[in-house]
Every structure is written in structure tokens, then in C-alpha cells.
Amino acid sequence: MADGKAPTKVAILGKENIIVDHGIWGSFIAHDLLTNVLSSTYVLITDTNIAKQYVPPFVTAFERTVSELGVEARLLVHEIPPGETSKSRATKANIEDWMLSEERDPPCDTKSVIIALGGGVIGDMIGFVAATFKRGVRFVQVPTSLLSMVDSSIGGKTAIDTAAGKNLIGSFWQPQRVYIDLKFLNSLPTREFINGLAEVIKTAAIWDEAEFSFLESSAERLMKAAKLPPSASDGRLSDVRDILKRIVLGSVRVKAHVVSADEREGGLRNLLNFGHSIGHAYEGILTPQILHGECVAIGMVLEANLARYLGVMKGTAVSRLVRCIKSFDLPTSYLDPIVQERSGRKTCRTGELMSIMGVDKKNEGRKKRIVLLSEIGQTYEKKATVVADRDVRVVLSSAIEVHPFASKQLEVICTPPGSKSISNRALLLAALGHGQCRIANLLHSDDTGVMLRALTDLQCAKFEWENDGEVLVVTGNKGRMQATSKELFLGNAGTASRFLTTVATLAESGEAASSSSSILTGNKRMKARPIGPLVDALRSNGAQIEYLESEGSLPLRIKASHGLEGGDINLAATVSSQYVSSILMCAPYAKKPVTLRLHGGKPISQPYIDMTTAMMASFGINVAKSTAEQHTYYIPQGQYTNPAEYDVESDASSATYPLAMAAITGTTCTIPNIGSGSLQGDSRFALDVLKPMGCVVKQTRSSTTVTGPARGSLRPLPEVDMEPMTDAFLTASVLAAVARGSDGNHRTRITGIANQRVKECDRIRAMKDQLEKLGVTCSELDDGIEIDGIDPAALQSHHDGVDCYDDHRVAMSFSVLALAAPKPTMIRERECVGKTWPGWWDSLARTFGVHLEGIDLESSNSHNQKLSGERSESIYIIGMRGAGKTTAGAWAAKTLGWPFVDLDSQLELEMECSIPDLIKSKGWDSFRQHEISLLKKSMSRKPTKHVFACGGGIVESPEARNILVQYHKSGGPVLLVHRDIQDVMEFLQKDKTRPAYVEDMHGVWLRREPWYKECSSFEYFSRTLETGSLRKPAKDFSRLLHHITGRTRYLEQLMKREHTFFVSLTVPDVAKALGFLDQVVIGSDAVEMRVDLLEDPESSDGLPGIPYVYRQLHILQSATDLPIIFTVRTRDQGGRFSNGTHEHVKALSLMALRMGVEFLDVEIQQSETFIRSITGAKGETKIITSHHDPKGELSWSDGSWVPHYNKALQHGDIVKLVGMAKQQKDNIELLEFVSRAKAAHATPVIAINMGVKGQLSRIQNAFLTPVSHPALPFKAAPGQLSAAEIRQALSLHGVIEPKKFFLFGNPISASRSPAMHNALFQATGLPHHYGLCETSSAQDLEEVIRADNFGGASVTIPLKLDIMQSLDEVSADVRTIGAVNTVLVDTSRKSSSGTGRYLIGQNTDWNGMTHVLDRAGAHHTPGQSALIVGAGGTARAAIYALNHMGYAPLYLVGRSPEKLRALTEKFSKVYRLQVLSSLSDVDALQASPCVAISTIPADRPIESALQALLTEIFRLNSTDLQGKRFLLEMAYKPSVTPLMELAVQAGWNTIPGLEVLAGQGFYQ
């Protein structure tokens, strides 16, 4: 009201009760209330966030107005916690109790007026309080957020949330006044401001196209203002003051009109729910991390897509809506990166979304009613429309199932979207030109959207839409533009990235220093696609371009240079024709005429170059192609002159799909606007591919019609060069898959498509892999593919569906092939078709009548298994020669079961000479080129399940470095192996198999070290990588390999357990704690390395340095099998690192990730940039996002923890929140907070309170509770308990119930098992007891094993077989061994026999055997055999154990050869069992055993014949194998058995059976 004008009033339900203006809060509202809404008691209710700023001035204004008017009135103020959690029954009851309290003196009565000051939560809930308090009192709305101003404050809807859903309990209760003070928006946070704009867009979209256009044109100014810091003053929004009032009034008037016509939501008011039916479903899952308006934005896009799918809305109108939503930085999909990040990567399952939509109050019973648009500003009906569930599922699902084609006859006309190639060129040429150009049929896709946004950011032109998005009006800026400080993110748009690289050189510097250059970047795949040849050509012509990450790929920093120098430009054009087109289109603005020479042979995709020059001519620049020089173009200086209109023809590449559908189904399809006169090379597809395959093709200058042969009659193409139309090879490939030759030759060979390896994916490999899934045999060629066609009826339906690699052309191609399959085919990544044909699935369903089903991938078992399964990318090992790469490679191959290739050895094999000879004859440069060529070939041909060791000097080449960097950035593991440089140098002095270093070896290491780091994603340091240690991979190395490949699923395992703990090491030096580390970790599931508590003796500032921490972590990884949590705690968070050490903390964290820690703690108080740098490099490491409140400033009950939880949820796999308890109530409130968090999100939460009063919270926390141990020097946090103490407390509270465990068998009275197990129970604080149950009859055990307190049992003779009849299930090892030694209880299942407990039998005998043999040093190498003495049940376990370790053959000796032979018949031939019954059998042995396991009783002498056999076996090759042979004696008594004495005499090492008992206990 600063302008002195009266506020604007809007009528609703016949009364002007809505008042809108700037600055009415305070005196105006106080005066209006006291004169028009009379009462003696006004109750102002708001939240604690708003109260501080806005309540005091209003109280002052109210009291002053009361005095001025001379009335008696009081103002009561009540504050509640902020946030959606306050919109509850409990908060409502608290407010009502407060209002009724005698403390109000007098309490509030029926005449009272409630003032709801706040956003939607306050308005909804306080309105409901007013509706029910004393059967209804008056209230007024004072909305403070944009969302509540235009939506929730108007119309009288009031409600609270319940566990069943949002707004399910409430009433209609109209406010007496709605005061909308736009000044409140100055202090509204940016995200909240944008959140409200979603409702403004919605209202304009359903009601008023003119207002929608106004929003589109105002987006830039509104967003600029919204992104300014919030402020209480008017300055932030002063530039958009009038815009704001107009858009708010526009929305308010529409809603007021609708409510007045349909107050109780009988039909018309449904229209206000556009975007809400689906949006509310997403909100039900994603709240509170994703805001209402953000969910509505997603809902609007999906409901518009649904309207397009149903054929009631044009694709251009959908694209217009999406562009508008994006222009306000609102999400358009729940998969948008910002939504995924904020929501903690929550999964929105289609089934769950449909379930939530099922309770929408608009529905008609089970029928869903959704508001559908017909165009911008107009709905399909004046009410919500009934839509079938099947159609909704198609739009919501991430995958789609394409059913076989059912129609026998079909003739269709199909018009594909505008050509992507022509659209991008037309956009750029018109933007560079002079005058206006109306572009019709422009492709509305992700790619063109990227180009539009980038050209806008560069101020290259002005763009306006006409005819509901059908026509784009481009006003060119004559080649003038300005560099932008804003990064130009291009996604995976290859065309845009190539074109804009040259365009950015035309820019002029902006006024700000940061605007002297532009940065082009993209997504992960875009950063792996090549752009080097184009950059080289531009640099040679004066352009200043810098690679910001990897050489040869985006991101680029391009200096504004106002155009190229001009003159001669040489360009390699064998990778992409887009490089050529990029320079051609910008060349007229060079400082001199340009002569462009293409070298390297025939340019790739010549038709696209011809298209570019033809289009340039349409815009007034004529390019001359040299007749004297091959592949040379002359481009004059000049300025494009825009034609008044330019009509983009349909995309010829996209047109191949509907034409191919006709070919594969035997139907007819016409493309009406692509014919022989097309600019596009792919227009030849029908004549050059489909016709030879047996189709009838009719092509005019402007149209193409194809009629396919009878189904199953397509003919293969023996040889087809598709270089002129490379993008169409995917379509040809799926047709070739079902093409059959009459002569028995069904093979199609496609060549000339090498450039398809560097598109959105490696398309050649993609087609091969996915076709093979469907049963089609394919072979990759360097520049093509061979496909052996099969009968369509033989096409298989793969359970995992077709992977599309986020590539539109892969998805559309396989949807064509699916029509010929006998069963439905699932296509994953349905939405990737949006790159070139957003309405493809609509066309498939509506034009061709194909039956489609939406598939909920998120709940698909196969998908979940894939997400949580192992990684199969091949591993590349790099490092200095002599560092142990070959040894590590052999270890890796053995551990993973993958083939190992030493690339140096492979190179020598292929070149048929040694590397020194190769270098001597051809030189280092030639050697490096061969080395790089082999590296590329290995990545192309063996991308998965291989281990490669690279030569030590591979990093000397920039090209090789770039290849390795791109490989690991795209997810492929590159492992740096190194050891002490002095050890390496000693080795190199002896190694003569490789060229000697011509410089100081230490100097070589110093030069290469940063390259090795840059090129690798993991590293391993070891002192054990000597040549003689090849037999057994080091434990920590195997651990790293399992981590890299995702074989260790610690988080999943931990989440299945009822109570888990991690022990916090508080030692200054891990090495000095090794003596008691085993004791400290007992009872814990993980171990935390507190880096901030380490004390580096070489540190000058008290902070442990990276080398010291590196060694400490390496020691810990070698010393424990438990997963490690790597934590650096800062002072603000209760640690020792000073708060200004962010870079050091980041460096330490990144080092830990490279070393493969299983868990990494990241403090969310760190900057977003810091956090993203860690999470972006995490690989398989799980991130624990933590926040600590050591000062106790936050409360679990008032919502103050919610922002910290939300931020932790965005970035973490685990959320850790640690408060400070001041009273026991804090622990109860914490428990309630966690309960709400668990109900909303699957992300596990560690939530505890520090201090003595917080110890209860540590007992209550079930997941990964941090614990201490008495052996540690001090506790990591105040109030920390040990795992044993927590378990004891849980036992006392009945949470952990005492169980009885037993040893079953006879005789067992002398067993040491009870003492061992009970000691462990005591050490871990468990209340269980392990006792003996001595019997020889399994029937005697029935009552014991069915008892409620039975926890499990060990089983020994004579019950190992008999017990099996009482079990519900036995493990695979039991089925092979034929004996049980362990009984487990699965509490999650009930016995099928109806006897209660579900019992599982396992055998850990063999585990114990392998465990002790491994620890003793019995590490198998190929060719080694083993010996088993005895033929009983334990001998079966010994056979299983030795076979598992890799020994073969396995020799059997015993007292009874008949029993031994019977035993061999129990095992398959793969075990290679051989009975030795005589000395002649021993003499004939092919391999002498080096490991033996004795399973015979030791309480009586060995029979003479058996002793003679064993004596001879033990003496075999005694000299060669001295010190490397092991006898494991399974008998416990005596301590030294006769057989052990016999073995020792022959020089064998012996292992007593008691050690096996301990090993069995470990596994039990």
C-alpha cells in the first residue's frame, strides 16, 4: 500500500472477502478486523519461524488500533512448531486445550476470531480448529507463502494429516477474510517461492492461455528476483512487484470463481486439481523432502502426457507446458537429479502410486478421475475425466511391455516429429541470422530444448512461441552474442555440444570478469564422447579452448573471441560429420573467408554435410565445394538472412521405425512429408534397405509408402553399407534379426557404421548384446555388425527386458522387433524416446493399435536383483613396472573367476616379437601407438569380466591417459597397484624382459605418480606382492576386489539383523592396538576408524597427514574382516579437526574411497560442493551422512531436526543424527522422530542422544549403534556404552529373549563347546546358554528343538544324519556332504510340518577345515592334490572342503577299501576321487598330495597295512615339498595322535583338531 491506493478486493461466494496488495500486514489488517470482523478476542496462531519476524509489529499495530478505535479487544498469540509434522491430531488437540485453558482468563468462546498466519500447514490446520472449536468459530487466513496465497487459503478446505494420508480428516469452513500481503514474499526462501509458482502455472494452464503466455514471458524476471537472498525489505521483489500482483490476482480470481460456482467440489472445482491426482501420489511418497508444488509440477507433466497418450492433447502443447515448468526450475520427473537427491533417492513404485491415487476423493468408486488438458488454457471436460488404470500405468511406469502385433491388415499414415538434425541447424542458423524466422514443425525434444536454452543464455537470439507451441518465432541477433558465466549443461545432446563448441567462439566478453568465457558441460556419457578433432581445428584457427577434465571431451572452457580468425582450417572428419557442420555454420562470421579442408579420408556421413550446406543456402550463405581439392569447402564472409518461414521436415531417422513396423508386420505405412526430395540421408532407407528385404516401396518427391511382405518373409541383406545413414542401422538390425534367406543363408552384414560406437552409447555393442538376449546370434565388426536371422516364432522373451542405455534409438528399434515376437517384450527406460519422439508410445498405441502395458520396474524382482547385484566391468591394473601388476592380476583373476590378460604379453604375442625388439626396430612412438590400440581393442571386445594388466608406461601417453580416465569416470574400475619404491627399484635392477629405463627410476616414479592417480579409481599398496607369493591372494586385496565388484553387500546384510553395532576406535596409532583389536571388535558388526583421533608423529599442525592415515587404514584393512567406517569428525560436530580444514578432510575422504572403505561418514554441515565431490566418487562405498548437536540446540519434537534429516537423506545411504539429552523425555521424542522417519523412508537411520541421560537412546537404537569397549583408551562420545552393555540392557527389558543352545550327540561329556560358546555369549552380553544334550536318538530331541526358547544346536556323531528328518530345510553343502553339524532357527518362517519353529540344517565342519588350513598357509596352486584318511561322515566334509579349496585329484585311504569305493560313488566325477588300496597304487600316483585330513579315531593304534600306505605317501617327494605339506588331524584326543607322529617324522606340518573346533564355532 506504499502507493496509497486501496487494496484490490476479490469476491468469493458473493462477498469481497479476499484482499490483495503489498504491505497490508499490520495497521490495515488490524483496522479491518476491528471494524468488519468484530470480536473481543482474537487468537493469532502461527509457527515459531514466522513469529519472530511478523508477530511483534502486528501486536504493536493491533494495540495502537484498539486504542485509536476505543474498542475492547485482546490479542492472544500461540506458536507451534513449523513443518508438515505439526498438521496432526496431536497439534490440533494441543491448540484446542490451550484455547480452553483457564490461563486464557477467560478462555476463548464462540465469539472468538482465529487468525491463521502462515503457509498451507497453518491455514489448513487452524481452519480445521476453527471449524470444530465450540462447533465452529470465525477465522481469517493470512497466507505468508506464495503457495498458500494462490491455493490453500482460498476455498474453505481445512484438514489435518493422518497415517493413512494427507488431508483425510477435515471440513469445508470458509474464512471471513483472506488477507494476501505480497510483501511477505520478500522473505520467502527461493525454493518456497518457486514451489508456489507451480500452482500459478496450473491455474493458467487450465483456464487462461493469455495468463500462461504472460507467465512464459515473465519467467526470466521472476526467477532472477526469486533467486535473490530473502529479505524483510521490499528490495528483493521490487522489479517484479506488478508481475507478482498480476499473477497472484489471476490465480485468486480463477479459484474464487470456481469455488463460488462449486463450493463443495461437485464437478467444476475438480479442475483445480490438474496435476494433483498424480502429484498427490508422488507427494504421498516423497514428502516432506519434496514440496507440494514440486510434486504438482511432476503431476502436471504426467497428466499432460496422459492426455497426449489418450489423443486429446497435442504433443506441441505438452512440450509448451514442460518448457514453462522447466523455466521456473521446477522438476518435470521424479527422476530429475535434484528430486532424487533431495528425496534420498526414494523409489516411487507404480503400484504404490496407483494405490494412493485409488483413495482420491474425485474418483468414482474404483474408477480414477483425472483432469485432462486439451490445450493450454482449456480442459478436455469441465470436470475430471474417468481414465482406465491401464492407461495411467503406461504413463507412470519406467518400462513398457510391447505385445505382439495382432492386426492382420492395416494402412496408416504416420507423421514423425520434426527432424532433429534439421531442427538444430534451423535453430542455430536463424539465431545467427538477421530478421525474424517462423520455424514450423520444430522437434520438441530434450535435444532441441538444450539447444534453445544454451542459445538463450548466450543472448544469441530472442525466441517466442505461437499457435500453442506449434511455431517458434526466432529473432536473430546477426551473429552477436555474449559469453555467459552460467555453465551450459547439455545433458547427452551430442549435436548441441558439437555445434555450440564453435558457436561459443563467436561470443563477446560480458561486463563481468567471469563472462569472458563460456563453459560447455554435460552428463557422464557426454563427458565420454569425443570432441577432440573439432577442438584441435578450432585451436589451430585461434580459438582458446581449455579442457576442464579429460583431454578430448567435455567440459570445455571457451574464451569469447568474437569469431574465428578464418583462412585455412584443417579438420579430421572421420569421427563425426557434426564437427564439419559446426565449423561450416559459424564460418561466415570469421574474420576472413574460410577454406575448410577435411582430411583423414572419406568424411563420415556425407549426407549430413550436404544438408548443412543446403540449409545455409536457404539462409543466404552459399558454400562452394572445391572441384580441384577433394573434401574442401569455401565459405564466404557474410550474415545469414532469415527466411520469413522455415518448415522442418519430419525426421527421416525416426521415420524408419514406422516404416519398419510395416515391413515386419506385413502392413502398409505412409510417411507423408519425407520423399526423394528430402535433405536427409536416411530418407533412402526405404529404397536401399526395405526394398531389398522384400518390401514394396513407393516414393514420391515428398512421401514414402512401404508395404511389408507376409509376416516372417523378410529377406536378409548379405552386405549393406549404411555409412550414408548410420543412425538407421539399428532399425535395419532388428529387421535382420527375423530375416530368413531361401538358400539357408540368414546372415545380414551391416558396415560403415563405426561412428555409432560414440553415440549415446556404443550402439553396435548394444545391439549385439540386446539381440542376443532375445535369442539372435550376432557378431561385432570394427565398423559394423553381422546378424543371423531367426524365425520370428523363435524370438525369446528375456526376463530382464531390453536395456536401452538411455538411447532413444535402441528403445524404438526394439519396440519394432517386439511386434514380431511370440510373447510380450519389455523395454526398459521408456522415457528415453523423448530425445527425438516424445510421443512414440502414443503413436504406437493410437496409430498402430499396439497393445502396451506399463511395467513397474521398481518392484520387479529382476530389476532389484540387477540393482543390488555384482558389477561386471572389466578391471584394468596400472602401476610401475615391478610394482606387482602381474601378480595382482593373477590374484584378481583367481578371486573373481575372470580371465587375466597381461597386455604387454598380449602385445608381444600379436606383434610376434618382444617389446625391447619392437622398440628397437620401430621406436617408442610406434610402440605407444600399438599399446594404445590394444588398450582400445580390449575395452571394445572384452568390456566385462576380464582383468587386464597394463604396461608401466601406459600413462606416458596423453591419449592413453584420457582413455583410462574416461573408463573409470564411466564406472569402469582402474586399479593402481604400488609398493615401496625402493622395492620396485631393486626388482627392476634384475628384470631384463623389458626395456631399461633411460632416466633415473625415482624420477620416473615422481613424474608418473600424479598420472597414475588421475587415471585410476582405486589403489592398493602392499608389501607382499613378491613373485613367490602368487599362490594366495592377500586378504586385504581380496577384500578390495570384492568391494570394487559389489560382491560385498554389507549394508543389505546389516539391515536384515535386529541389532547391529560399530565400535569406535579411539587409538592414536592402529598398529599399537593390534594386540587387543580382536578383543575390541567382539560383538560388533563394523569398526569405525576415527581419523581425527589419530596422532601423526610427523605432523606439525596436529592433524594426521595423508601418508600417515593411508598407512593406518591399510593396517586396519589387513587386520580385520569387519567393514570399516571411515570418519573425520570436526570440532563443531564433537571431534578434533578444526572447522577450517575442509580441503584436508576432503582429501582424506577421497583417499579412503580409493582404498575401498565400506562406509564413509560425511558431515552435512559441509558445503554442497564438498558433499557432492564425495558422493560423486563413492563407487560401492556407502555414505553415512551425519549431523551432531553436541551443544543440545536442537529438539526432536519441534521440527528443528527435520532440515538436517532432509539434507542427510539427500546424500546418504545411511542417516546418522546425534543429539544431546537433557532429560529422559528427549529419548522418547527421539524414538517418535525415528518412527516417523522409518515410516516415510527406507533409508536406515542411526539416531541417538549423547550424555548419560541419552544412554537409553543408545539402547533403543537398533541399527549400527556406535559403541565403545573397556580395552579402548577412552570413549568416542559422552554416554557411549559397549555392545555387551547394550545387549545386557536389552535382555533386561525383554527385547533379547534368552535362548538355549545345545550340543547333540553321544559321547559328548568331554566337549569343550559349551565353554567356548558360553564365553562368547558372556563377552557379547547375550543372555543365552549353551549346554549338552547327550543322546544317540534323534527322537529324544523333538521336544528340545520345538521349544520356544530353542536357539540352535551343534550336532556330532551319531546324529549328523538322523537329525535331518526333523529339519525343514538343509543347505547345499549338507546335501553334498550328507551330514548336518549345525541347526539354525529361522524366526521369520514357520515349519511346514505345523510344529512351529522353522529349522535349517547346515554343515560348518568343512568351513572349519578350510579356515584352519588357510590360516596355516595351505594355499592351493594348480596341480596340487590332497589326501583324505577315513570313510565316515567327517571324511565327506573333508572331501567337500578340499574340493572347495581347489585340490585335485583327492586320494582316499582307510581300513576298508569297500567303504572307500562306496564313498566315491556318493560324489560326482568333478571331485576326481581315487582310492589308494595298495603300495602299487601309491607308486603310480600322478601327483603327490601336499595336504591331508585324517578323520579316523585316534584312540587306538593304526592298522599295519594302513600305516604302511600312509608312511609311503608321507615320504613321497619329501625334499621338494619340505615345509609345504600339512596334516589336519580331526581327532581331539590325544593331543598328539599316532598319525600326527607319523607325519612329523616325514617332515609334514600338523594341525590339531581343536583348532577346527574353534573354526566351526566361528562359522556357527
Side-chain angles (χ1 to χ4, degrees), residues 1230-1277:
L1230 180 152
L1231 204 59
E1232 292 172 349
F1233 180 94
V1234 172
S1235 178
R1236 291 193 298 270
K1238 287 182 177 178
H1241 296 275
T1243 303
V1245 178
I1246 306 166
I1248 57 175
N1249 283 322
M1250 291 184 285
V1252 174
K1253 291 180 179 173
Q1255 288 180 331
L1256 176 60
S1257 71
R1258 296 179 183 273
I1259 297 168
Q1260 293 169 334
N1261 184 72
F1263 180 77
L1264 277 184
T1265 305
V1267 296
S1268 186
H1269 190 277
L1272 290 169
F1274 58 90
K1275 296 180 178 180

Side-chain angles (χ1 to χ4, degrees), residues 493-775:
T495 306
S497 69
R498 275 77 181 260
F499 289 1
L500 290 168
T501 297
T502 310
V503 169
T505 67
L506 306 183
E508 300 173 6
S509 297
E511 294 180 5
S514 59
S515 298
S516 62
S517 59
S518 301
I519 292 176
L520 269 58
T521 187
N523 64 14
K524 183 185 289 187
R525 174 60 187 167
M526 192 67 250
K527 290 181 179 181
R529 296 175 72 175
I531 203 164
L534 176 59
V535 171
D536 291 344
L538 295 175
R539 281 176 168 176
S540 69
N541 203 249
Q544 297 181 46
I545 303 176
E546 174 188 357
Y547 291 114
L548 297 182
E549 290 182 14
S550 302
E551 193 84 8
S553 299
L554 267 59
L556 306 173
R557 177 181 281 114
I558 304 170
K559 188 173 178 58
S561 52
H562 198 39
L564 298 171
E565 291 299 320
D568 289 353
I569 299 178
N570 294 304
L571 172 68
T574 54
V575 176
S576 173
S577 64
Q578 291 170 355
Y579 301 158
V580 183
S581 294
S582 178
I583 293 178
L584 283 172
M585 287 188 288
C586 295
Y589 295 91
K591 290 156 187 158
K592 293 184 293 187
V594 171
T595 298
L596 177 61
R597 292 184 173 87
L598 309 181
H599 62 84
K602 180 183 176 183
I604 194 76
S605 302
Q606 180 68 44
Y608 286 96
I609 301 173
D610 298 339
M611 174 196 293
T612 300
T613 57
M615 290 184 66
M616 289 172 68
S618 298
F619 283 79
I621 296 292
N622 293 297
V623 177
K625 188 174 183 180
S626 174
T627 56
E629 293 184 76
Q630 198 175 28
H631 313 313
T632 299
Y633 296 86
Y634 304 114
I635 307 99
Q637 284 180 294
Q639 186 181 96
Y640 292 116
T641 301
N642 287 339
E645 295 179 351
Y646 192 90
D647 194 4
V648 176
E649 67 180 50
S650 287
D651 189 82
S653 298
S654 296
T656 64
Y657 308 119
L659 294 176
M661 290 173 67
I664 207 167
T665 60
T667 58
T668 300
C669 176
T670 297
I671 306 296
N673 62 345
I674 298 178
S676 59
S678 172
L679 293 172
Q680 304 170 74
D682 289 14
S683 62
R684 295 283 307 171
F685 179 79
L687 289 171
D688 293 353
V689 176
L690 297 183
K691 188 174 182 180
M693 296 187 84
C695 298
V696 176
V697 177
K698 296 178 182 178
Q699 190 172 70
T700 68
R701 184 164 180 78
S702 60
S703 71
T704 302
T705 300
V706 168
T707 300
R711 295 189 197 182
S713 302
L714 285 171
R715 298 194 295 268
L717 299 173
E719 185 86 33
V720 56
D721 181 357
M722 295 193 71
E723 189 274 330
M725 49 179 132
T726 55
D727 280 354
F729 102 87
L730 299 92
T731 321
S733 296
V734 296
L735 296 178
V738 290
R740 309 278 289 168
S742 57
D743 58 355
N745 181 11
H746 311 308
R747 178 168 296 177
T748 292
R749 180 183 175 92
I750 300 172
T751 58
I753 56 171
N755 70 326
Q756 293 293 304
R757 291 196 182 276
V758 292
K759 293 288 188 174
E760 282 77 353
C761 65
D762 181 341
R763 287 176 171 169
I764 297 175
R765 184 193 301 168
M767 293 304 291
K768 172 184 175 292
D769 291 347
Q770 299 312 305
L771 284 171
E772 287 180 344
K773 275 187 181 180
L774 306 186

Side-chain angles (χ1 to χ4, degrees), residues 873-907:
E873 298 95 336
S874 293
I875 296 175
Y876 285 81
I877 300 175
I878 63 174
M880 286 285 284
R881 177 153 54 91
K885 298 189 300 297
T886 302
T887 301
W891 281 0
K894 183 173 184 178
T895 301
L896 301 174
W898 295 355
F900 170 57
V901 179
D902 184 311
L903 289 177
D904 274 354
S905 299
Q906 182 67 24
L907 181 60

Side-chain angles (χ1 to χ4, degrees), residues 787-810:
I787 301 162
D788 292 332
I790 62 174
D791 189 313
L795 285 170
Q796 300 171 12
S797 179
H798 196 276
H799 69 278
D800 207 26
V802 173
D803 280 310
C804 296
Y805 310 91
D806 199 28
D807 190 325
H808 53 128
R809 303 215 180 277
V810 175

